[in-house]
């Protein structure tokens, strides 16, 4: 995102009210977690873990240990508070780092590796699946969250959001990319319009509320300008053309 403001500060402010920092409802996220069937003692990694809500939900559902990686210092603080409040510090370790630089103690050692809405860490969906699949043992799970085009995006939408048409694929292609890498596709869950509206709307009101409460912050002008540009692009085009899903694969 090209703007005269720290990117992590922008996302930290606009995602103040988000529990999971992606356009998926908690109900659908929990439903997916129920389908993981992780064994006792499983080791789980979440790259770009945000506030660590997904890791906490997994650890509350299964007897597993987890590690979460996130580059944002602002979000990392929220993740630590979340893990501590859930009394999961003995089972979830958090590292404030670039997930793309993380390497497990040994390859093929994890029971599940996930990267939900942060494929930029590995420069795209395919590379994310490749990187995660190297970390999990045979029979282990790879879980990613990725946007997809519902219809071809309008050129004006791409211009306003500073994206390229080839940044994302249609929904079936996101599945096929994993299959072509030799992964077994198990399940996907797709965000609804309501999921998207909540995800986007929480950002708008959080930014407006912050601006009112911090009128002397020199970043307020660019915060509101960027948020309102993204808001208008979403309402005019993005709601119709951009989808989002979580894709679950198994490594043979």
């Amino acid at each position: 995102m090209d703007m005269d403001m720290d990117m992590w500060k922008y996302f930290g402010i606009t995602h103040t009210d988000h529990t999971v920092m992606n356009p998926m409802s908690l109900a659908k996220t929990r439903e997916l977690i129920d389908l993981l069937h992780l064994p006792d003692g499983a080791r789980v990694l979440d790259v770009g873990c945000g506030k660590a809500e997904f890791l906490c939900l997994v650890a509350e559902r299964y007897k597993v240990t987890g590690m979460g990686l996130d580059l944002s210092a602002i979000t990392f603080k929220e993740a630590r508070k979340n893990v501590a409040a859930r009394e999961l510090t003995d089972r979830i370790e958090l590292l404030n780092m670039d997930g793309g630089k993380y390497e497990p103690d040994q390859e093929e050692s994890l029971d599940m590796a996930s990267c939900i809405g942060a494929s930029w860490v590995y420069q795209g969906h395919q590379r994310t699946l490749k990187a995660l699949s190297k970390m999990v043992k045979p029979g282990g799970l790879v879980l990613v969250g990725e946007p997809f085009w519902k219809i071809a995006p309008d050129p004006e939408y791409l211009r306003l959001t500073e994206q390229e048409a080839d940044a994302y694929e249609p929904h079936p292609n996101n599945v096929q990319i994993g299959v072509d890498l030799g992964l077994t596709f198990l399940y996907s869950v797709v965000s609804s319009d309501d999921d998207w509206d909540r995800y986007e709307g929480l950002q708008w009101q959080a930014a407006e509320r912050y601006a009112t409460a911090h009128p002397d912050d020199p970043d307020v002008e660019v915060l509101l300008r960027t948020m309102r540009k993204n808001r208008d692009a979403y309402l005019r085009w993005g709601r119709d053309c951009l989808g989002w899903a979580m894709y679950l694969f198994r490594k043979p």
Side-chain angles (χ1 to χ4, degrees), residues 8 47-49 69-71 97-102 115 117-124 127-128 131-132:
W8 302 121
V47 180
C49 68
L69 315 175
D70 204 273
L71 185 58
M97 65 173 293
D98 179 354
K101 297 179 180 178
Y102 174 80
C115 182
S119 62
W120 53 266
V121 170
Y122 299 107
Q123 294 81 52
R127 292 182 179 181
T128 298
L132 299 183

Side-chain angles (χ1 to χ4, degrees), residues 67-117:
M67 176 176 288
L69 315 175
D70 204 273
L71 185 58
S72 167
I74 296 172
T75 303
F76 183 73
K77 290 179 182 178
E78 293 298 316
R80 292 183 66 180
K81 288 194 292 185
N82 192 19
V83 171
R86 309 277 270 274
E87 298 183 347
L88 291 169
T89 53
D90 60 330
R91 292 200 287 135
I92 295 178
E93 180 182 359
L94 299 172
L95 296 177
N96 185 198
M97 65 173 293
D98 179 354
K101 297 179 180 178
Y102 174 80
E103 294 184 6
D105 296 338
Q106 61 185 61
E107 290 188 350
E108 298 189 320
S109 61
L110 303 176
D111 295 275
M112 184 176 77
S114 58
C115 182
I116 302 171

Side-chain angles (χ1 to χ4, degrees), residues 198-217:
R198 183 177 187 278
Y199 174 70
E200 295 288 341
L202 287 178
Q203 295 183 58
W204 309 336
Q205 62 106 354
E208 297 286 359
R209 193 174 64 243
Y210 180 90
T212 300
H214 303 84
D216 297 328
D217 187 332

